[in-house]
């Protein structure tokens, strides 16, 4: 019995190490399928602040994840008073624009947190990333202030179409989001379930836009969104959000 227990524990340890080793790595099959890492867990090569040329210091890499720092960290870092804030700095992968793609990443939101993943980003000088990019929402559905509308919950097409069924895990737990876009048809898969589906550049799409907060925004009117654009991550508020396993393949 002791020998069986020993070998069971050894196998569990090996499996645990193997699982850890796969974070921010591609399997041989993924490489064959054309996946590429956008973040290797060590550096943000290829990434920069939106509308800037360098990577901002309000994002940090720790223990194989990249995260936007919290309000207390910002105050300590920049020597701010309790009621002072720094500007939010969104980031994007600036090495390449993507058209038809499948993007996969893991996210972990702080309590009360709010963030987003963007695609088809076109930089507008002096404007934040959401000005001209499609946002897939990231949210602590339980504690965030922006949790009153169904199309504001995690994995939703923000303020346009809700993610249903809503299967996000709570603050402190890792979620997996996959965004797939092929010839304008888009799906959001959250934790293994397709929760949102739509097709851009169609009459149905522009009807959805007309019923959203973006109805008067020129950057969301026909023929937007752009046929190709950058992938981006949002620094939305001061509760922190972490990302890992950021990878993409072109279709």
């Amino acid at each position: 019995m002791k020998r069986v227990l020993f070998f069971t524990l050894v196998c569990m340890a090996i499996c645990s190490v193997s699982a850890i080793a796969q974070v921010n790595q591609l399997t041989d099959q993924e490489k064959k399928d054309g996946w590429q890492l956008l973040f290797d867990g060590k550096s943000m090569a290829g990434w920069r602040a939106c509308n800037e040329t360098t990577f901002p210091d309000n994002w940090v890499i720790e223990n194989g994840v990249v995260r936007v720092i919290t309000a207390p960290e910002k105050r300590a870092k920049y020597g701010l008073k309790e009621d002072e804030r720094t500007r939010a700095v969104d980031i994007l992968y600036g090495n390449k624009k993507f058209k038809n793609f499948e993007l996969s990443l893991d996210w972990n939101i702080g309590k009360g947190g709010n963030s987003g993943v963007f695609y088809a980003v076109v930089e507008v000088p002096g404007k934040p990333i959401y000005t001209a990019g499609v946002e897939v929402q990231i949210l602590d559905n339980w504690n965030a202030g922006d949790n009153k509308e169904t199309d504001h919950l995690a994995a939703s097409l923000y303020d346009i179409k809700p993610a249903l069924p809503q299967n996000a895990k709570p603050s402190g737990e890792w979620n997996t989001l996959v965004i797939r876009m092929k010839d304008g048809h888009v799906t959001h898969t959250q934790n293994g379930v397709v929760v949102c589906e739509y097709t851009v550049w169609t009459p149905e799409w522009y009807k959805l836009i007309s019923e959203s907060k973006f109805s008067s925004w020129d950057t969301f009117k026909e023929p937007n969104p752009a046929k190709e654009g950058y992938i981006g991550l949002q620094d939305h508020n001061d509760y922190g959000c972490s990302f890992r396993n950021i990878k993409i393949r072109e279709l």
Side-chain angles (χ1 to χ4, degrees):
M1 176 63 74
K2 290 182 178 180
R3 180 175 297 180
V4 172
L5 179 60
F6 172 76
F7 281 113
T8 299
L9 292 174
V10 169
C11 290
M12 290 175 64
I14 292 174
C15 291
S16 177
V17 171
S18 177
I20 294 173
Q22 291 304 312
V23 175
N24 302 314
Q25 295 185 34
L26 298 177
T27 65
D28 290 339
Q29 187 59 54
E30 285 176 322
K31 292 175 183 177
K32 290 179 182 179
D33 291 340
W35 288 92
Q36 60 175 305
L37 287 175
L38 298 188
F39 170 58
D40 63 3
K42 301 175 182 178
S43 76
M44 293 303 288
W47 292 81
R48 57 179 173 80
C50 183
N51 282 314
E52 298 179 19
T53 59
T54 59
F55 191 77
D57 60 2
N58 63 318
W59 291 76
V60 297
I61 299 172
E62 294 176 345
N63 302 317
V65 305
V66 59
R67 67 179 183 89
V68 59
I69 62 178
T70 63
E73 291 175 303
K74 289 177 180 177
R75 287 194 291 269
K77 187 179 186 71
Y78 304 116
L80 301 177
K81 298 178 181 178
E82 186 68 26
D83 59 346
E84 291 182 311
R85 288 191 171 193
T86 63
R87 69 188 180 99
V89 184
D90 308 314
I91 59 174
L92 55 79
Y93 185 75
N95 274 2
K96 185 177 179 62
K97 294 180 180 180
F98 295 94
K99 183 177 182 180
N100 293 316
F101 63 87
E102 189 170 11
L103 171 71
S104 178
L105 57 79
D106 298 337
W107 60 269
N108 190 331
I109 194 76
K111 185 175 181 180
N114 185 331
S115 185
V117 179
F118 293 82
Y119 69 87
V121 174
V122 176
E123 292 174 286
V124 179
K127 299 293 184 179
I129 199 168
Y130 58 78
T131 302
V134 182
E135 179 180 358
V136 181
Q137 174 78 319
I138 289 178
L139 196 77
D140 172 8
N141 288 348
W142 289 264
N143 301 292
D146 194 22
N147 65 354
K148 306 303 187 292
E149 304 291 336
T150 56
D151 56 11
H152 288 194
L153 299 180
S156 294
L157 177 63
Y158 177 70
D159 205 65
I160 300 173
K161 189 170 184 179
L164 298 171
Q166 185 48 240
N167 65 342
K169 298 176 184 178
S171 170
E173 296 187 26
W174 285 102
N175 295 264
T176 297
L177 172 68
V178 179
I179 304 168
R180 188 181 193 276
M181 180 174 185
K182 175 66 173 176
D183 299 328
H185 184 72
V186 185
T187 58
H188 304 174
T189 300
Q190 181 166 256
N191 298 324
V193 179
V194 176
V195 294
C196 192
E197 188 170 4
Y198 52 93
T199 303
V200 298
W201 311 311
T202 62
E204 292 77 16
W205 166 260
Y206 291 110
K207 184 176 186 299
L208 288 172
I209 297 299
S210 71
E211 298 169 346
S212 75
K213 66 185 292 183
F214 307 110
S215 59
S216 62
W217 295 29
D218 289 338
T219 48
F220 277 81
K221 294 179 180 179
E222 197 169 357
N224 291 314
K227 297 295 182 181
E228 64 176 10
Y230 297 113
I231 300 297
L233 303 175
Q234 187 180 38
D235 172 11
H236 185 277
N237 61 18
D238 295 322
Y239 299 96
C241 187
S242 300
F243 298 91
R244 69 182 186 187
N245 288 331
I246 309 172
K247 55 192 175 186
I248 197 168
R249 66 171 174 172
E250 297 186 80
L251 302 174

